[in-house]
Amino acid sequence: MAFKKLVKTLLPAVALLALLAGCGGSTSETNQAQPRDVKVRTTVARLESVPRTVQATGGLEADKSVMVSTRMMGWVRKISVTEGQAVQKGDPLLSIDASDLKAKKAQAEAGIVEAKAVLANAERMAERFQRLYAEKSVSKQQLDDVLTGRDRAAAGVKMAEAGLREVNVHLSYLDIVAPVSGVVARKMVEEGDMANPGMPLITLEDAGRMKVVAYLGEKDISRVQAGDMVQVQITSLDGATFRVPLDRVIQSANPGSRTYDIEAFIPNTDGRLKSGMFARVTVPVGTREAITVPRAALVQRGQLTGVWTVDSHDIVHLRWIRPGHELDDRVEVLSGLQGDETLVLTSEAPLAEGDKAVR
């Protein structure tokens, strides 16, 4: 009796467990993804010669930079520009006090008046003595002395006029104008400062085109030459990557660093590039063998990069790789491929592991 009672008690529980197990198996079979036929375009990973590159660091400079100074000493009376202001050739930049030179100009003008009066008197005297000499009233020596005095008076007028021109030239140095069109990059004086001959006052830059100067090690300098294409990246700006030819390769090393300057020019039509910005230059210095795949074949899953490979039975498998340098429309593969795999380039539908590629 006790055994039958125990069986009756356990029987419903066993039946319930069997039912749950059966439902679980049915759900698993229903959710399991079935392989599909997906139409794809394929390509092949290839082993090829690619440029061997080195990184050179440097900075940006303006294509043209002019240091404006003066030839005269004086107080800075007025500054007409501010840093960052665009100026055209001939625009006023600053003025230096001209009080002393204006006084000298007045003296020179008075000297001209005096010299002309002396000359007029000497010419009248010369005419009188020429008549007297013709009448035999004065000697030849007396006439020569008067004519010499007239010539000296004429030279005195020319000297006075030259003195005035000199003063005017000096005055022109006091009103300083822009020698070229550009942007005021730096202002080294303020109103009231004393300006001295040769002292830098304002720096103008033509920022329409920037020059990048980078520094290459002595091991690689013999492998590059003007005209080689390099990649310049301005790390502080988004999307500021340029592919430009080298303009110059300086063949003399910098004494301190033992590096060599290489120079290239970058367009700056939008004005984003500024002098002093850090630049990283990728320089080709030969070739090497590398496995490459088209950029379009890459698959991104979070921080991971992979490619869909197609095996001999046209089944696709996702293989993770470690990408390297970008080479135009291809990408170097550092690990994960051998160089002869068939890869999916594009597919008409999202792929899953085990799908069949239809080409």
Side-chain angles (χ1 to χ4, degrees), residues 225 227-231 243-246 282-284:
Q225 59 184 354
D228 289 350
M229 298 300 294
V230 298
Q231 179 175 289
R243 187 169 175 79
V244 293
L246 281 180
T282 303
V283 184

Side-chain angles (χ1 to χ4, degrees), residues 94-116:
L94 58 86
S95 298
I96 297 174
D97 183 70
S99 301
D100 294 345
L101 282 179
K102 286 181 178 179
K104 290 183 178 180
K105 181 177 181 179
Q107 291 176 359
E109 290 172 343
I112 291 175
V113 173
E114 179 183 7
K116 287 182 177 180

Side-chain angles (χ1 to χ4, degrees), residues 5 40 87 120 218 228 314 339:
K5 191 173 183 179
V40 300
V87 296
E218 57 186 13
D228 289 350
D314 289 336

Side-chain angles (χ1 to χ4, degrees), residues 143-162:
L143 176 61
D144 290 343
D145 290 343
V146 171
L147 292 178
T148 299
R150 181 195 63 184
D151 294 342
R152 292 179 64 183
V157 172
K158 292 181 178 179
M159 185 178 298
E161 291 174 343

Side-chain angles (χ1 to χ4, degrees), residues 1-16:
M1 290 294 295
F3 176 75
K4 290 182 178 180
K5 191 173 183 179
L6 179 61
V7 170
K8 288 181 180 181
T9 304
L10 294 177
L11 188 59
V14 172
L16 180 60

